[in-house]
Structure formats: C-alpha cells, structure tokens
Amino acid sequence: MRSAVSTPSAMMAHTKNLPFDASNLTQLAAGAIRHSMTWTVFRPEHGVFLAEGNGYVLRGVPHDSSILFEYILDPCSPSKIPDSLFVQSAEVDKLFFGILPGCSRLNIPDYRIGTTEDVYTTMYTLDPTGSATQKIRDNRHPSFAPKCLFGFSDIIPLAAPMLRRENGTVIKLPVPAEYTTGLLAHKEGFVVFGHRLNEYIDSPQYTATPSLPVPPRILHLRHLYCCMRSKYPEWEDEVLANSQVNNRSAGFLHDCKVGWNVCTDYFVVLNQEYGQNFYGDLMAAHLKNAVNWWHQAWNRMREGTARDNYGLRDYIAEGMHLYWDYLDLVVDEMGKRGWMKVPREKIREAWMMMIFRGFCWWRSHWMMEGQDMCEARARLPSQYYAEGRGTKNGDGEDGFVLVEDSKAVLDR
C-alpha cells in the first residue's frame, strides 16, 4: 500500500508544488512514539491512523490510492522534548513493533515477541519439543502471573545486539514484549551469580585435583565481575541503576560495553571453532530450562529447601540458584543438539560467559516501566514493520511516505 504524508498546508487546494521528503510508515509510526505520542488508532488495513500527545496530532485517512496524513501542532498544548529520549536506530525501531533485533555477529536472527502468540511461536522455534512453550503457558495462569514470561524474557539481553549508541548516554528502549525484566536484570540474579561463581571456582573438582586447573576464562570472568562490583554500586543494584535513566555515568557504560565485547568476541571465536550456531543453541538450551525457575523456586520456598538469599528477595534469589542447578541440563541439551564433541567444561564456561554478557547488556539499557507499556496495545503490529526508507522497486511502484519539509515534521 502506497502512503503519502502531508502537513495541513499541503492539504489546501491552493497549495502546489510543496517540497517533500521521503520516509516510510515504519519510521513515521516509530517517530510518533519517540515524541511521546500514542497511536490511539493504527489500522493500516483500513488506512486509518491517529496518534496524539505532547502537543501533536497525527491523523491519516485514505486518499485515492494513498494515505494522506495531517500533522497538527496544538497551540493550546505546546510540545516539549520528551523527558527521556529513546536510543535512535533502525534496530531500536523494531522494538516498537514487538520485534527483538538479533545480534548479527553471533548469527542470531530477529525474533517476534510482541504478542502472546509471538512468544509461543518463538519459543517453539527454539525448542521444537514444545515443552518450554507449554511451561510458559502454565506460568501465565490468570490466577497469579497472566503477563509474566519467567525465564523466556532472558532472550532480550541474550539475543539482542548492543543498542546503546557508541559513546552515548541515552539508554532508554521501548518495551518489545509483555514482560521484559528477568533474573539477568535483578539484583538477586547478580548477587547469587557472583557467589555461585566463586563456589564453582573453589569447588572440590578443582581444589582436590591439582592436575585440573580452573579454566583461565572462568578466572578472568570472576575478575571482571569483581571489578564491576567494586567500582560501581549500580552494577548489582538495579534500583540505583534504574534511577539513572539516560544519565548513567560514561565510565560505567563504557565498562559495561567492554565486558559485553569481551563475551561477544569470545562467542565469535567459539562459533568459528565449533560451528556458526553454537551460541544460538546455547541460548536456546538455557531458555528451555530457564522457563522452569518460577514454579520450582516457589516449591523450594514452601518446602523450606531454598538456598541463601543474601538478604534479598528470596524467590528471585532462588531462581538464580536454580539457573546454576540447570547447568548440567544445559550441557545435556547441547549434546542433544549435536554438540557432543564440545567438552562439557567448555559448555559450562560458555554458559557463565553468556550470563555475564546478559548482565552487561541490561546495565547498558533501560526499558520503560509501567503496566501500560507492557500491554500488547502499546506496540504496533509487527507485520507492518518495514526495513529502511522507501525505494523504487522493479515495477516502478514506490513505498514512500511523503512528508512536507523535513524540518517541520517528526525527527525520524
């Protein structure tokens, strides 16, 4: 469907030959949200659109074979720069449509996670047995957690690339799913991981066997974790980190990026050494088990068998303990996926690196909070996302959305 966008003056019969800039519906839709507008009506199948907020009104109606947009600045409600700007990039635009961009360096594709059915479909793609998808369905029981995606939400920090712009301090991202934060964002996840990492290094398999040294990568990982914890209180403290939206220190963001790069480079090498899908299968193996933590954590709480919570929220702390319990199950799952020749200890090491990489990703970004932002209606239908700017195709048709004078319209 071809679309044309015009400001009010361009709609007047006596106005002719106004200058136009080119954009597409994807950029226009995302740009409206960036400027604190809400799409109260978004029905491309009928050619009807309405976005309002922050002193703007953007209305689209069918006009011949196109869509005519009217862009109005409300003088009674002056617009202002949003209090918290979004990271601006084509990859971030996908999040507005419930599409999670994948890290191309690790051969991770994009995933659709904006609706409940999208989540089920994506999880089934990652685990064709269907057991993990069924567990997500069970977890979302209306009586206690109808919106939560326990364990599955780890896909966001594990699959996505670094979305924060180089040297930028703007870290706010739109919410791509009904539930986004998980154990890799919470303080409990960080603290328990740090303690369990130390316990792993000090375990009898190494201390009682001098001929079996601790892998250098794992020792370096502990060093990285301890450095972040000692330098930055916000590393483990999510409340402190989340109070610093778009104003986290440049040094903290730089060091998070360094840690993320170390882990990403590590997996690039593993993909080259073992096979291009190694990281993707490791992520899938983790998610298949991670979706089980919620029920099992509460069962342990009721049975009195939960482990040390270090003075934090007990059930979430127990969740990270369970992640470590699942480690051998992750290794077994990797074997089922064809990675039998990879040493089991190497897979354990890779899992630890992957989790730390997820920590670094979360502390480099912030997603909007609040129930309204998590509702499916807060995202645009993923089928209407289109890559890039409109271009001519072979039959002469175009995908342009025409906008009068780029200085007078939304910053795309």
Side-chain angles (χ1 to χ4, degrees):
M1 177 173 60
R2 295 197 305 170
S3 303
V5 173
S6 174
T7 56
S9 59
M11 298 173 62
M12 299 178 184
H14 63 272
T15 304
K16 298 180 181 180
N17 301 322
L18 288 172
F20 285 89
D21 190 12
S23 180
N24 62 28
L25 187 57
T26 296
Q27 294 169 322
L28 185 68
I33 302 174
R34 288 185 190 282
H35 285 70
S36 302
M37 301 173 71
T38 299
W39 285 101
T40 53
V41 179
F42 191 86
R43 298 202 297 269
E45 67 277 16
H46 301 298
V48 180
F49 305 84
L50 179 64
E52 301 173 288
N54 196 25
Y56 301 114
V57 175
L58 187 62
R59 181 185 298 112
V61 295
H63 179 74
D64 295 333
S65 60
S66 301
I67 305 299
L68 191 64
F69 276 86
E70 179 183 21
Y71 173 60
I72 302 171
L73 189 62
D74 184 355
C76 297
S77 179
S79 62
K80 62 180 180 179
I81 297 175
D83 293 333
S84 186
L85 300 174
F86 290 103
V87 177
Q88 297 201 31
S89 72
E91 289 176 317
V92 172
D93 283 351
K94 295 178 182 180
L95 299 175
F96 289 112
F97 292 82
I99 300 172
L100 178 68
C103 182
S104 59
R105 290 191 64 204
L106 299 180
N107 303 304
I108 301 300
D110 294 351
Y111 293 109
R112 295 176 185 269
I113 60 173
T115 67
T116 300
E117 288 305 315
D118 285 341
V119 168
Y120 295 156
T121 299
T122 292
M123 190 68 251
Y124 187 81
T125 300
L126 295 169
D127 171 37
T129 69
S131 63
T133 302
Q134 185 57 51
K135 176 54 68 174
I136 296 174
R137 291 180 186 272
D138 294 343
N139 287 342
R140 292 167 62 84
H141 193 280
S143 64
F144 58 91
K147 297 294 183 182
C148 290
L149 298 172
F150 302 115
F152 177 83
S153 57
D154 289 351
I155 195 174
I156 295 173
L158 299 184
M162 181 63 67
L163 296 172
R164 179 181 70 84
R165 304 295 290 270
E166 190 70 27
N167 300 320
T169 58
V170 175
I171 62 170
K172 182 181 176 183
L173 301 175
V175 176
E178 289 181 308
Y179 189 83
T180 55
T181 57
L183 298 186
L184 304 190
H186 294 318
K187 181 176 183 177
E188 292 80 359
F190 281 69
V191 172
V192 173
F193 180 88
H195 282 279
R196 290 294 296 261
L197 179 61
N198 285 329
E199 292 174 10
Y200 186 86
I201 291 173
D202 297 333
S203 63
Q205 67 172 321
Y206 297 121
T207 58
T209 313
S211 61
L212 182 64
V214 180
R217 287 284 185 181
I218 296 179
L219 290 174
H220 184 57
L221 181 62
R222 177 168 68 174
H223 171 73
L224 290 174
Y225 189 94
C226 291
C227 285
M228 294 299 292
R229 181 176 59 195
S230 63
K231 289 178 66 176
Y232 304 108
E234 62 267 43
W235 168 249
E236 289 187 338
D237 191 341
E238 66 182 304
V239 174
L240 179 58
N242 290 344
S243 69
Q244 301 169 341
V245 178
N246 289 350
N247 64 346
R248 292 180 190 173
S249 75
F252 176 62
L253 292 174
H254 172 269
D255 287 353
C256 286
K257 178 68 178 298
V258 169
W260 187 88
N261 281 339
V262 166
C263 296
T264 301
D265 292 343
Y266 167 85
F267 282 112
V268 168
V269 172
L270 288 192
N271 277 0
Q272 293 171 347
E273 182 177 353
Y274 296 122
Q276 291 301 310
N277 294 323
F278 179 83
Y279 179 82
D281 278 350
L282 180 66
M283 180 185 73
H286 166 77
L287 293 174
K288 180 178 180 178
N289 289 281
V291 296
N292 296 304
W293 81 262
W294 173 257
H295 278 293
Q296 293 182 7
W298 279 107
N299 286 340
R300 280 182 166 270
M301 296 292 297
R302 287 191 290 267
E303 296 166 359
T305 58
R307 274 73 56 96
D308 195 339
N309 59 34
Y310 306 101
L312 303 172
R313 289 176 293 182
D314 44 17
Y315 69 99
I316 298 180
E318 184 59 29
M320 181 53 75
H321 281 297
L322 287 166
Y323 273 18
W324 280 87
D325 294 348
Y326 299 151
L327 187 46
D328 281 339
L329 296 177
V330 171
V331 176
D332 293 341
E333 178 65 21
M334 289 294 281
K336 296 175 184 178
R337 291 170 178 262
W339 303 100
M340 291 83 70
K341 295 183 179 180
V342 182
R344 291 179 68 87
E345 184 61 19
K346 174 58 73 172
I347 296 176
R348 294 189 187 98
E349 171 190 291
W351 178 84
M352 297 174 207
M353 296 288 283
M354 180 179 68
I355 297 301
F356 182 80
R357 181 176 178 273
F359 288 157
C360 292
W361 190 94
W362 262 122
R363 289 301 181 257
S364 299
H365 304 93
W366 182 82
M367 286 187 172
M368 295 181 294
E369 298 176 330
Q371 187 61 38
D372 288 346
M373 294 298 100
C374 295
E375 296 289 346
R377 59 183 171 79
R379 288 171 292 284
L380 300 170
S382 61
Q383 63 266 35
Y384 296 112
Y385 175 80
E387 296 276 0
R389 295 172 68 86
T391 54
K392 295 283 184 178
N393 61 28
D395 60 9
E397 289 296 314
D398 65 66
F400 284 159
V401 174
L402 299 179
V403 183
E404 183 212 9
D405 188 359
S406 59
K407 294 181 180 179
V409 298
L410 299 177
D411 176 20
R412 296 178 301 276

